[in-house]
């Protein structure tokens, strides 16, 4: 009997363990009596986490005119919600840092994931979204389900990576597993208690082309495909692949798309470095 997306996620939860400092920070963040000083002190005790947070805080994602040189300052300037998103980013990416790069094309995986995150953040601003801090993380982790599956099904994952002009990645995933990797992503992130505001667009976006959904899901539909186009120039057409009606619903123009791609191509490597995925 074929395994479900949830069953693969449960297996991955046992294999790919979240760092101890991440678990302690999540407990602290969930405690209403915890102070910013408490959080900063715990982050500072973990050099890898502190370094990553500062690198990302000083990146083009936030574009602050002055350098953020301490965790205390990062908390004050970015705010608790944004720092929590960065901590979630660190925890999930660190959990999969030990995967064998020969099992799956990890370079391409992270390139597309980071591109999607950057495109989503850029276009969310263009579309006039208000509170959209979690959308970067939705873009980054939309396909993390592939890494949840790869240990137990390396041959099937390799098959799914062999998409081409005639068959999209999602069609191959459904053919091999009966579901898309994004479904497994949503299940795994739910098991790890990632906020619903980050998971919901991941869970919904595959249906955005045919259903009227939250605009965040529609945006993620566009950016997952745009990241794929950017990774494989000439394989798919922007005109037919992105969903013109979704672009119109979000008031996004072709100029907006080109500006987003330019931003993504300039900043992608720096963000991958900050996340320690290259």
């Amino acid at each position: 009997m074929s395994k479900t997306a949830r069953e693969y996620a449960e297996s991955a939860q046992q294999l790919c363990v979240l760092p101890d400092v991440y678990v302690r920070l999540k407990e602290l963040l969930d405690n209403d009596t915890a102070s910013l000083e408490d959080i900063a002190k715990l982050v500072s005790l973990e050099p890898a986490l502190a370094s990553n947070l500062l690198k990302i805080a000083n990146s083009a994602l936030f574009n602050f005119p002055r350098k953020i040189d301490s965790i205390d300052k990062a908390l004050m300037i970015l705010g608790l919600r944004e720092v929590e998103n960065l901590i979630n980013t660190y925890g999930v990416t660190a959990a999969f840092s030990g995967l064998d790069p020969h099992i799956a094309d990890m370079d391409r995986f992270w390139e597309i994931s980071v591109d999607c995150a950057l495109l989503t953040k850029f276009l969310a601003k263009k579309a006039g979204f208000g509170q959209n801090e979690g959308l970067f993380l939705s873009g980054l982790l939309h396909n993390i389900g592939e890494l949840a599956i790869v240990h137990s099904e390396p041959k099937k994952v390799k098959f799914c990576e062999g998409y081409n002009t005639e068959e999209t990645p999602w069609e191959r995933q459904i053919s091999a597993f009966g579901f898309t990797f994004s479904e497994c992503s949503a299940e795994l992130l739910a098991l790890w208690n990632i906020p619903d505001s980050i998971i919901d667009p991941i869970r919904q976006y595959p249906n955005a082309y045919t259903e009227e959904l939250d605009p965040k899901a529609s945006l993620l539909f566009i950016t997952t495909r745009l990241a794929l186009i950017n990774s494989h120039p000439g394989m798919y057409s922007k005109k037919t692949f992105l969903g013109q009606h979704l672009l119109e619903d979000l008031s996004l123009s072709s100029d907006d798309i080109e500006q987003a791609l330019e931003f993504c191509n300039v900043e992608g490597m720096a963000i991958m470095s900050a996340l320690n995925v290259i």
Side-chain angles (χ1 to χ4, degrees), residues 135 200-202 204-206 208 213-222:
L135 274 176
D200 287 345
I202 296 173
Q204 295 173 12
Y205 87 83
L213 300 173
D214 187 291
K216 293 177 182 178
S218 297
L219 179 62
L220 195 57
F221 180 96
I222 292 166

Side-chain angles (χ1 to χ4, degrees), residues 74-166:
L75 281 164
M76 285 189 293
I77 294 175
L78 300 180
L80 188 57
R81 181 180 294 180
E82 194 67 84
V83 169
E84 182 175 6
N85 284 331
L86 295 181
I87 289 169
N88 283 328
T89 302
Y90 170 81
V92 176
T93 54
F96 289 101
S97 61
L99 280 181
D100 183 347
H102 297 100
I103 297 178
D105 189 341
M106 298 300 291
D107 288 342
R108 184 167 69 176
F109 173 86
W110 285 116
E111 177 193 346
I112 292 174
S113 298
V114 169
D115 281 0
C116 183
L118 290 169
L119 292 163
T120 304
K121 185 174 180 69
F122 186 94
L123 290 174
K125 188 173 182 181
K126 286 287 185 180
F129 289 5
Q131 296 294 324
N132 58 55
E133 297 98 330
L135 274 176
F136 174 84
L137 201 49
S138 297
L140 182 71
L141 302 179
H142 78 279
N143 214 35
I144 205 76
E146 177 180 352
L147 304 189
I149 294 170
V150 70
H151 266 309
S152 54
E153 302 284 5
K155 290 182 180 179
K156 284 187 178 182
V157 170
K158 280 290 186 187
F159 166 78
C160 293
E161 289 183 340
Y163 51 83
N164 51 48
T165 53
E166 303 300 321

Side-chain angles (χ1 to χ4, degrees), residues 57-69 73 77-78:
N58 284 296
S59 74
L61 283 179
F62 300 105
N63 202 26
F64 287 114
R66 296 179 183 175
K67 184 175 177 64
I68 300 173
D69 55 10
K73 192 180 289 186
I77 294 175
L78 300 180

